[in-house]
Each structure stands twice: as C-alpha cells, then as structure tokens.
Amino acid sequence: QVQLVESGGGLVQPGGSLRLSCAASGSIFGIDTMAWYRQPPGWERELVAHITSGDSTNYADSVKGRFTISRDNAKNTVYLQMNSLKPEDTARYYCNAVVITTASRYLEVWGQGTLVTVSS
C-alpha cells in the first residue's frame, strides 16, 4: 500500500560524501515524521537523524555537524547528506516514515535499506 525506496548508497573513501534519497509512494495523503536509521554489521539499528513535518531536526551525536537531513514534501522524499564520512559510518541505512494514508490511517513504514561502505 505504501512503499519507501532508498537510493544513493555505495563505496566511498574516508572523508568523502554521499547523498541518500528515500522516496515514498502509494496511497499517501501526507507524511508526518521521516527519519534515517542505520545498522552496522553485528550491531543493533540506531537512529541517525529525524525530521518532523515542520522541518525540526535532530541528530545522533556521532553524526552532528557532518550529516544533514532534509525533505521535499512535494516529492514525498527525504534526503541524508553525509559529509566527512568515517569508516565507523559503514552500515546499512534505512529510511523510516510515519505516513498518513488516503484512508486517514497513520502507518509506520520502513524501506529495505541501502548499504554505505566507507573504506580506503
């Protein structure tokens, strides 16, 4: 009914940059909050960044000053600009959204994830 599709992952050298995108599609009336999570190999999933419908943001301490979350409501898309990447940023990155469906339901949706590898 509602899908999130991430893109933009890949291999990058330490100090490099990547921009992740996540587009929502389906029976969407609107989108409340959107967020990026990540799960490093062998670790639990953790919140990276979060943005509200009013564009308020918050970030994990480990990415503050390096990552920027933004959204384009007209495109139902959220972005994560990642700069000054470090090897410890290596993880599968997941998009998350709380969607208001055309049936007036609130639905939490997850994407399938996109792999980011930071290595020389």
Side-chain angles (χ1 to χ4, degrees):
Q1 193 173 19
V2 177
Q3 284 187 313
L4 299 179
V5 178
E6 301 105 332
S7 60
L11 174 64
V12 63
Q13 292 187 342
S17 298
L18 281 176
R19 189 193 195 205
L20 306 183
S21 300
C22 170
S25 63
S27 303
I28 299 171
F29 176 78
I31 301 179
D32 191 1
T33 60
M34 305 186 85
W36 288 95
Y37 288 73
R38 67 185 180 187
Q39 186 166 16
W43 292 81
E44 293 186 354
R45 195 173 297 188
E46 62 181 6
L47 176 67
V48 176
H50 173 269
I51 185 167
T52 69
S53 57
D55 287 340
S56 293
T57 59
N58 70 282
Y59 297 90
D61 288 342
S62 59
V63 307
K64 281 181 183 176
R66 300 189 298 123
F67 290 11
T68 302
I69 189 170
S70 61
R71 60 191 287 173
D72 184 334
N73 293 325
K75 297 181 179 179
N76 288 334
T77 299
V78 64
Y79 305 97
L80 186 68
Q81 178 66 45
M82 305 186 294
N83 299 328
S84 302
L85 282 160
K86 304 175 181 180
E88 51 264 42
D89 294 318
T90 295
R92 181 166 290 275
Y93 284 71
Y94 295 89
C95 178
N96 172 275
V98 175
V99 173
I100 307 165
T101 70
T102 52
S104 299
R105 292 175 56 208
Y106 281 75
L107 188 66
E108 184 177 22
V109 188
W110 289 89
Q112 293 298 308
T114 184
L115 186 62
V116 172
T117 303
V118 184
S119 175
S120 55

